[in-house]
Amino acid sequence: GGGGGRRKPMSLVRAILRSDLTDLHLVAHGGPEVGMLCAAGKVSRLTFAFVAPDTSSSGVLLEPHFRAARQSGAIACTEVDEGMLELGLQAAAWRVPFLPTRVGLGSDLHLVNPDLRTVRSPYPGPDGDEGEELIAQPAIHLDAALCHLNVADERGNAAFTGPDLYFDDLLLEAADRRFVSVERIVPVGGLVEAAGDLTRLRVSRLLVDGLVLAPNGAHPTQCAPDYERDVPFQAEYLATAKAPEAWDAFRAAWLSFPSEADYQAALAARPARTEGDAR
């Protein structure tokens, strides 16, 4: 879930980094979670619309560990437009094999995604002409979805309180197994007040198989309005793509703790840094 450097389920990603899971096929509007999992050799395939740090101060347009994995051929990729990714998840959520769309027509996506097919509408156009040819975006079915939201109740109903849902509801609907980490858990009956708006209650407990209390669990990405991204930390991470030994040192320093609690304790104990220090 999340998008770029915003509200990523990083506590769950760190658990994967500590595990023996490999050969993963990730589906994401990618950010540091994609880069870290690629650098750790966990990923074999990626379906994506973009993979970017999403930090205006970094000067980095592509996630560097993703870029290295892509350029070296370490991962296979399926490139889609953002609209196609949304429709692929929607098709899986609706349990249909594909959804027709104009998104992607006239682009070079067919050059990098040779399996992409088109379909002709069985209905004539408004002038009685032949049915329109459209891209047939296949369903993107997920074995598991991982999302981080701001708040949930004890039953697993969850809400976002920031500016965007980032397709998290579609990811959960498209998956066989659904895991949600949250900043805080409130008693049943208290979720509407905690969310502040009924329209933000977009995740039903019927879409959640596992709920994890993970304060600061999106770190180092943004989790508005609870906290902003940790720009100095992200700058330190982005710099590790320059050399394998830099990544190894960063992974040993920050991603090898026995638990998420140890990671958060180390964050709390580090000296305060500013964005200027990162640059």
Side-chain angles (χ1 to χ4, degrees), residues 197-210:
D197 186 337
L198 278 172
T199 63
R200 297 179 178 275
L201 274 63
R202 295 284 292 277
V203 175
S204 161
R205 62 189 176 90
L206 300 178
L207 299 177
V208 178
D209 297 299

Side-chain angles (χ1 to χ4, degrees), residues 99-111:
L99 283 174
T101 179
R102 295 187 182 95
V103 175
L105 290 172
S107 75
D108 283 340
L109 273 172
H110 67 283
L111 299 179

Side-chain angles (χ1 to χ4, degrees), residues 130-143:
E130 188 178 15
E132 183 180 2
E133 187 175 38
L134 301 166
I135 284 180
Q137 171 57 45
I140 301 175
H141 175 79
L142 308 176
D143 296 316

Side-chain angles (χ1 to χ4, degrees), residues 115-254:
D115 293 330
L116 201 58
R117 299 288 184 263
T118 59
V119 62
R120 189 166 295 281
S121 170
Y123 303 105
D127 299 325
D129 53 347
E130 188 178 15
E132 183 180 2
E133 187 175 38
L134 301 166
I135 284 180
Q137 171 57 45
I140 301 175
H141 175 79
L142 308 176
D143 296 316
L146 308 178
C147 296
H148 185 78
L149 290 158
N150 300 88
V151 60
D153 67 19
E154 294 166 330
R155 290 182 175 176
N157 301 294
F160 70 104
T161 59
D164 203 327
L165 185 58
Y166 307 127
F167 296 177
D168 283 9
D169 56 339
L170 291 181
L171 283 161
L172 295 167
E173 290 178 31
D176 289 337
R177 300 277 287 169
R178 295 73 55 95
F179 302 94
V180 174
S181 58
V182 293
E183 292 294 317
R184 57 195 181 278
I185 297 176
V186 299
V188 173
L191 186 59
V192 174
E193 181 180 358
D197 186 337
L198 278 172
T199 63
R200 297 179 178 275
L201 274 63
R202 295 284 292 277
V203 175
S204 161
R205 62 189 176 90
L206 300 178
L207 299 177
V208 178
D209 297 299
L211 181 65
V212 181
L213 177 61
N216 206 38
H219 182 273
T221 68
Q222 177 198 67
C223 187
D226 294 300
Y227 47 86
E228 292 300 316
R229 64 178 57 87
D230 188 335
V231 175
F233 188 97
Q234 278 198 292
E236 180 181 346
Y237 158 68
L238 292 172
T240 65
K242 296 177 181 177
E245 55 269 22
W247 161 251
D248 291 340
F250 179 86
R251 187 177 185 182
W254 287 109

Side-chain angles (χ1 to χ4, degrees), residues 2-8 29-33 50-64 82 163-164 166 220-223 228-231 234-235 237-238 275:
R6 293 164 287 177
R7 214 180 68 235
K8 284 293 179 176
H29 279 153
E33 85 288 6
F50 64 80
V51 185
D54 200 25
T55 60
S56 59
S57 61
S58 70
V60 179
L61 300 180
L62 282 177
E63 214 292 338
E82 284 186 64
D164 203 327
Y166 307 127
T221 68
Q222 177 198 67
C223 187
E228 292 300 316
R229 64 178 57 87
D230 188 335
V231 175
Q234 278 198 292
Y237 158 68
L238 292 172
E275 186 172 338

